[in-house]
Amino acid sequence: MANLYIGLISGTSMDGIDAVVARFDESGAKLHATLSHPYPSPLRTDLVHAVSNPSDCSVDEIGLLDGWVGECFRDAALAVMEEAGVSADGIEAIGSHGQTIRHQPDAVRPFSMQIGDPSIIAQGTGVATVADFRRADIAAGGQGAPLTPPFHRWLFGTTGKNRVVLNIGGIANVTILGAGDAAVTGFDTGPGNTLLDRWTAKHRQEPFDRGGAWAAKGTVVEELLEKLLSFDYFERQPPKSTGLEDFNLEWLTDRDVLDYEPRDVQATLCELTAQTIADDIKRYAPETRELFVCGGGAHNAELLRRLARNLPETVVETTAVAGLDPDWVEAAAFAWLAMRRMKNQPGNLPSVTGASRKVMLGAIHSP
Ligand SMILES: Nc1ncnc2c1ncn2[C@@H]1O[C@H](COP(=O)(O)OP(=O)(O)O)[C@@H](O)[C@H]1O
Ligand SMILES: [Mg+2]
C-alpha cells in the first residue's frame, strides 16, 4: 500500500501527541490509523513549566526536552504504524510538527521554536522525517503560522461555498475559504481552549471542562467580558498569530478574574472565546454560511452553542460532515505537508502567513 504518510503533532494544549497514517488522493484524505499518545506526566509538567517560564529555562533543559519529546514522537509513530499494520517500507515520510515551546513571529529577530528531535524519529522508525515546518515561512517574512489553511483549502475548499474552517486547539485559528477566486486567508483569532483549561485546572483539578458543563452552570460577567475583550490582539489586523505567551493564567489574574465566582469566570471565558472567533468571522468573512469546526474544542458543546448564538446566519458543524473526524484534521495536515515537501512543492500560503513568497516547508531528516 503506497502513498501513506504519517502526521504527528502536539498542540499548545500539550494534551498529548496526535498521530495518523493517511493517504491523499483526488477523493480526499483517508485515515488508515489514528491514535493519541500521551506524554508521561513528568514530561508534560516540565513542558508546561518551560512554556510558562521561558526566562527560567536553561539551554540544558531545552536540550533534554528536545530529546525526550523526540522519543515520545518516535514512539507515537511506531504505535500508529503498528495500528495501521505497516512497516517503515510502506510509509513515504513522517511529518512531525513537534512541540512548540516558543512562538515569537513579531520579535525583532522573529522565530518559532518546535522541539522533538527529528533525527530520533527518523532513526527510530526508519522513515524519512520532515520537521521544522515554520522556519522557511518566517525566513520569507511570514508569521510561520497558521500552516494548516492550504490543507483545509485542498480538502474543504469546494468552490461556490462561503466556508470557514475553525480549529479550536489551545489557540483558535480560522481558515477563510471564500466562494469564487478570493484569496484564502487564515489567522489565529486568540484563545481556543487554553484559558478554559487553565481556569478549570486551577479550580477543579481536572485538565479540561468536559463538554463545557461547568461553564454552562455559570453566568457571564459583562464587565469582566468587556475588560478581556479590550486586549489589543483582538483588534489587530491579520496576518497575526499568537500563543500561550499572550494567553495564560497571568493574563487572567492581571485582569482581576479572582474577584469573581470561578464558574461565572468560566462562563465568561467561554463567551470570550466564542465572541472573539465570531467577531473575526463577521469582520473578515461576513458572507460565511458554513462553519466547520475541528480540534478538541469541537467536543465543547457549550462553546459551540455560544458560537452558534454569535453567528445566527451560519450553520455550525464539525468537519465530520465533510468527511474528516475533527480530532485528526491537524495531524492529517502535517502528513499532507510532509507529502508536499517530499514532492518539492511549496507548503505555505502567503495570503495567510504574510510571507513574501511561496516556499517549501520543513527539512527532511533521512533515517
Ligand atoms: N470532551 C471535551 N469537552 C471539552 N473540551 C474538550 C473535550 N475533549 C477535548 N477538549 C479540549 O480540547 C483540548 C485539546 O484539543 P487539541 O485540538 O488537541 O488542542 P491542541 O492542538 O492545542 O493540542 C483539550 O485541552 C480540551 O480543552
Ligand atoms: Mg492536542
Side-chain angles (χ1 to χ4, degrees):
M1 224 182 322
N3 280 319
L4 294 179
Y5 291 85
I6 289 177
L8 305 173
I9 182 168
S10 171
T12 45
S13 302
M14 295 194 236
D15 56 327
I17 302 156
D18 298 334
V20 301
V21 175
R23 179 212 291 272
F24 307 101
D25 61 28
E26 314 75 50
S27 63
K30 182 166 184 331
L31 302 180
H32 287 252
T34 60
L35 62 84
S36 178
H37 190 80
Y39 280 135
S41 129
L43 173 54
R44 183 169 193 275
T45 305
D46 286 1
L47 284 170
V48 171
H49 179 82
V51 169
S52 318
N53 308 277
S55 56
D56 182 30
C57 189
S58 71
V59 175
D60 281 352
E61 280 169 275
I62 293 172
L64 182 150
L65 290 173
D66 185 39
W68 198 355
V69 171
E71 290 167 13
C72 290
F73 272 65
R74 171 200 65 201
D75 293 346
L78 290 170
V80 82
M81 284 161 70
E82 192 179 329
E83 182 80 25
V86 286
S87 59
D89 306 343
I91 305 282
E92 306 291 335
I94 293 171
S96 176
H97 172 270
Q99 178 71 58
T100 297
I101 57 163
R102 201 92 177 117
H103 183 66
Q104 298 279 283
D106 303 310
V108 176
R109 286 216 162 71
F111 72 96
S112 183
M113 188 179 280
Q114 284 74 43
I115 59 170
D117 186 350
S119 290
I120 293 180
I121 305 171
Q123 292 181 27
T125 57
V127 180
T129 300
V130 184
D132 265 329
F133 284 94
R134 300 190 189 273
R135 284 178 188 267
D137 184 80
I138 291 177
Q143 292 272 312
L147 296 183
T148 49
F151 175 66
H152 294 160
R153 176 180 66 173
W154 177 76
L155 192 59
F156 303 122
T158 314
T159 46
K161 301 270 188 189
N162 284 302
R163 287 179 172 165
V164 169
V165 182
L166 165 66
N167 172 48
I168 313 178
I171 297 296
N173 63 277
V174 289
T175 301
I176 297 169
L177 304 166
D181 293 334
V184 174
T185 53
F187 54 90
D188 290 347
T189 57
N193 298 297
T194 188
L195 299 174
L196 301 169
D197 285 357
R198 290 288 168 270
W199 195 246
T200 302
K202 180 176 165 65
H203 289 279
R204 296 170 71 87
Q205 288 72 50
E206 283 163 11
F208 60 85
D209 179 13
R210 188 167 292 279
W214 188 40
K217 291 199 189 100
T219 306
V220 173
V221 184
E222 291 298 336
E223 62 174 2
L224 176 60
L225 181 62
E226 289 302 313
K227 195 181 286 180
L228 300 174
L229 281 169
S230 70
F231 188 57
D232 56 4
Y233 184 81
F234 301 129
E235 288 307 317
R236 257 180 62 189
Q237 305 257 333
K240 60 177 183 176
S241 58
T242 184
L244 303 190
E245 293 91 335
D246 286 334
F247 297 103
N248 49 42
L249 260 190
E250 206 183 334
W251 186 82
L252 289 177
T253 47
D254 284 351
R255 286 163 181 75
D256 306 327
V257 291
L258 298 173
D259 296 353
Y260 304 96
E261 183 67 35
R263 72 177 180 192
D264 291 343
V265 172
Q266 187 73 357
T268 308
L269 297 178
C270 197
E271 180 62 20
L272 172 78
T273 306
Q275 243 186 61
T276 49
I277 294 167
D279 284 353
D280 273 339
I281 291 173
K282 285 187 269 196
R283 201 172 319 164
Y284 297 107
E287 303 297 316
T288 303
R289 295 294 170 267
E290 281 179 295
L291 181 64
F292 289 169
V293 185
C294 61
H299 298 287
N300 187 325
E302 177 65 4
L303 181 56
L304 294 194
R305 190 184 69 77
R306 289 186 177 277
L307 253 178
R309 220 178 49 192
N310 278 287
L311 291 167
E313 291 179 42
T314 303
V315 182
V316 178
E317 296 163 310
T318 77
T319 54
V321 300
L324 194 56
D325 184 327
D327 286 336
W328 308 110
V329 175
E330 299 298 281
F334 282 90
W336 185 85
L337 285 169
M339 178 183 76
R340 301 277 304 177
R341 181 64 189 85
M342 296 307 281
K343 294 182 174 175
N344 292 326
Q345 293 168 335
N348 65 336
L349 280 179
S351 59
V352 171
T353 63
S356 59
R357 60 187 185 280
K358 288 188 173 183
V359 285
M360 284 191 272
L361 300 182
I364 303 169
H365 300 254
S366 302

